[in-house]
C-alpha cells in the first residue's frame, strides 16, 4: 500500500521573477554574442535558453480543496495539498485529485430482505477523498469504485434486516433508521478506506416493497394495524368493566350473582367493543325476568 507523502514545493511567484530575469540576461548575452560574432558565447547563450525552457513546466496552481499527485519517472514523488502557486520538479507529471465533498445516490436496487421478501432500496452517500495517493494508485478509478462498493454495501445491508419488525425489539429497515444508517456507514467506511475515501454520511433515500408484492404487504400491514387496534379496544373495555363491577360492589348499589355478572360483562363488552352505535332496550320487568 502506498502511503501519502505531502510535499511543500518552492513558491512560484519568486521563481517566476527569477526566471524572467534570467531570460532577460540570456537574451542580452545572446544579442551581444551575435553582434561580436563570438561562437562560444552564442553556444553558451543558446544552452542557457534551452535550460530555461525546462523551468515553466514545473509551475503549478493548486486550488482550495484540491491535491496534485506528482509522479517522477514512474514513481510516486509526493502530493501537493496546500493551495497556491508553486514550482516543482519539471520532470514530474501532475495528476489532479479533488478533495471536495461529493454526493452519490445509488440506483433503486431490487434485493431480498432478511425474510426473503423482494424490496426496492436506494441510498445517498456523502464522501470525499482524504488520501490522494491511495485514490490514485490503489484503485483503477476511485469514483467508479465508490459507486460499485456503495451499491454492494446497500445490497448487503438490505439482506441483513427485515423490511418490517414482526417481533418486539427486532431491528427493521423501516423503523430503525438510525441504526440502519450507522450500519451502512460502517460498511462503506470499511470498503472505501483502501481507496483513500472518507464517508461523511450515509442514509437510506428510498425504501419500498417490490411492486409484485406491494399490495399483499399493504393488506398485511392493514391487518396487523386492525389487530393491534382491536387488542387495545378489548384491553380498555375489560378494564372499564372491571372498574364498573368494583364500584358497584363497593357502593352497595347492586348485588349480582355470577350469572348476572356474566350477562352484564357480556353486554358491556358488546357496547364498548362494537363498531356501530348501540340501540337502548327498555326493560319493563325486573332484573331477573
Amino acid at each position: 500500500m502506498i502511503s501519502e507523502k505531502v510535499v511543500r514545493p518552492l513558491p512560484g511567484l519568486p521563481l517566476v521573477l527569477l526566471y524572467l530575469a534570467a531570460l532577460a540576461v540570456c537574451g542580452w548575452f545572446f544579442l551581444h554574442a551575435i553582434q561580436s560574432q563570438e561562437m562560444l558565447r552564442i553556444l553558451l547563450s543558446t544552452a542557457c535558453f534551452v535550460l530555461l525552457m525546462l523551468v515553466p513546466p514545473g509551475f503549478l496552481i493548486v486550488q482550495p480543496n484540491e491535491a496534485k499527485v506528482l509522479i517522477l519517472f514512474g514513481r510516486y514523488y509526493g502530493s501537493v495539498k496546500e493551495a497556491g502557486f508553486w514550482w516543482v520538479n519539471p520532470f514530474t507529471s501532475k495528476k489532479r485529485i479533488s478533495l471536495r465533498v461529493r454526493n452519490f445516490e445509488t440506483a433503486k436496487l431490487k434485493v431480498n430482505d432478511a425474510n426473503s421478501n423482494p424490496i426496492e432500496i436506494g441510498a445517498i452517500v456523502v464522501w470525499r477523498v482524504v488520501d490522494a495517493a491511495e485514490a490514485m494508485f490503489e484503485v483503477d478509478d476511485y469514483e467508479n469504485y465508490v459507486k460499485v462498493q456503495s451499491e454492494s454495501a446497500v445490497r448487503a445491508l438490505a439482506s441483513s434486516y427485515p423490511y418490517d419488525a414482526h417481533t418486539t425489539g427486532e431491528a427493521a429497515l423501516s423503523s430503525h433508521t438510525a441504526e440502519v444508517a450507522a450500519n451502512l456507514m460502517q460498511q462503506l467506511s470499511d470498503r472505501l478506506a483502501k481507496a483513500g475515501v472518507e464517508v461523511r454520511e450515509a442514509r437510506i433515500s428510498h425504501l419500498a416493497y417490490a411492486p409484485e408484492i406491494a399490495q399483499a404487504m399493504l393488506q398485511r400491514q392493514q391487518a396487523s394495524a386492525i389487530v393491534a387496534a382491536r387488542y387495545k379496544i378489548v384491553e380498555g373495555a375489560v378494564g372499564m368493566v372491571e372498574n364498573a363491577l368494583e364500584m358497584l360492589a363497593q357502593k352497595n348499589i347492586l348485588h349480582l350473582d355470577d350469572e348476572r355478572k356474566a350477562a352484564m360483562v357480556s353486554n358491556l363488552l358488546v357496547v364498548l367493543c362494537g363498531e356501530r352505535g348501540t340501540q337502548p332496550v327498555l326493560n319493563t320487568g325486573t332484573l331477573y325476568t
Side-chain angles (χ1 to χ4, degrees):
M1 180 179 291
I2 297 178
S3 299
E4 185 175 42
K5 180 176 63 174
V6 179
V7 297
R8 181 178 175 82
L10 298 176
L13 186 58
L15 286 177
V16 166
L17 299 177
L18 183 61
Y19 169 74
L20 294 176
L23 196 62
V25 171
C26 284
W28 184 81
F29 271 105
F30 182 77
L31 291 177
H32 277 269
I34 293 294
Q35 292 174 358
S36 61
Q37 297 294 320
E38 296 182 18
M39 186 57 62
L40 180 60
R41 294 179 64 183
I42 293 175
L43 292 177
L44 290 176
S45 300
T46 304
C48 180
F49 273 117
V50 172
L51 292 176
L52 288 176
M53 289 302 102
L54 298 177
V55 174
F59 291 108
L60 61 88
I61 298 176
V62 180
Q63 303 289 344
N65 283 325
E66 182 182 270
K68 291 292 180 67
V69 178
L70 308 179
I71 305 172
L72 180 63
F73 303 131
R75 293 181 176 274
Y76 173 60
Y77 182 76
S79 302
V80 181
K81 287 187 171 182
E82 187 175 353
F85 180 46
W86 309 102
W87 186 86
V88 296
N89 190 327
F91 294 102
T92 57
S93 59
K94 308 161 189 68
K95 304 293 183 180
R96 176 185 175 274
I97 296 288
S98 175
L99 304 180
R100 295 179 175 90
V101 177
R102 311 189 208 183
N103 285 328
F104 168 70
E105 184 173 7
T106 66
K108 294 179 182 179
L109 307 174
K110 187 176 180 180
V111 296
N112 291 336
D113 67 357
N115 294 331
S116 298
N117 295 318
I119 63 174
E120 291 181 349
I121 188 171
I124 293 178
V125 181
V126 182
W127 61 280
R128 67 187 293 263
V129 174
V130 293
D131 192 312
E134 289 185 349
M136 176 62 66
F137 300 113
E138 293 297 332
V139 294
D140 183 55
D141 183 348
Y142 68 92
E143 293 182 347
N144 185 63
Y145 184 82
V146 170
K147 177 181 178 181
V148 173
Q149 292 298 324
S150 297
E151 293 183 352
S152 176
V154 171
R155 289 182 183 275
L157 177 80
S159 62
S160 303
Y161 295 92
Y163 184 95
D164 282 322
H166 302 296
T167 59
T168 304
E170 182 183 18
L173 295 171
S174 59
S175 58
H176 294 69
T177 54
E179 178 181 340
V180 170
N183 191 348
L184 176 61
M185 187 168 177
Q186 183 61 46
Q187 289 194 39
L188 286 171
S189 298
D190 295 340
R191 293 167 182 259
L192 300 179
K194 65 181 65 176
V197 172
E198 176 191 38
V199 180
R200 306 291 295 272
E201 184 182 357
R203 61 185 182 274
I204 301 298
S205 61
H206 174 77
L207 183 64
Y209 280 113
E212 59 267 25
I213 67 165
Q215 186 62 33
M217 289 302 175
L218 178 60
Q219 294 176 352
R220 179 180 179 178
Q221 290 175 346
Q222 291 174 341
S224 299
I226 292 173
V227 170
R230 288 291 184 183
Y231 180 83
K232 285 293 183 182
I233 292 173
V234 172
E235 184 180 11
V238 170
M240 293 173 67
V241 170
E242 183 181 4
N243 290 336
L245 292 175
E246 288 180 356
M247 291 179 66
L248 288 173
Q250 290 176 359
K251 295 183 178 181
N252 294 321
I253 297 175
L254 285 176
H255 297 282
L256 303 175
D257 56 20
D258 291 341
E259 181 180 355
R260 295 305 174 183
K261 286 182 179 180
M264 181 179 178
V265 168
S266 176
N267 293 335
L268 286 174
L269 287 178
V270 170
V271 171
L272 295 173
C273 298
E275 293 184 356
R276 294 181 296 179
T278 58
Q279 295 181 352
V281 177
L282 181 62
N283 186 5
T284 60
T286 65
L287 186 63
Y288 293 93
T289 58

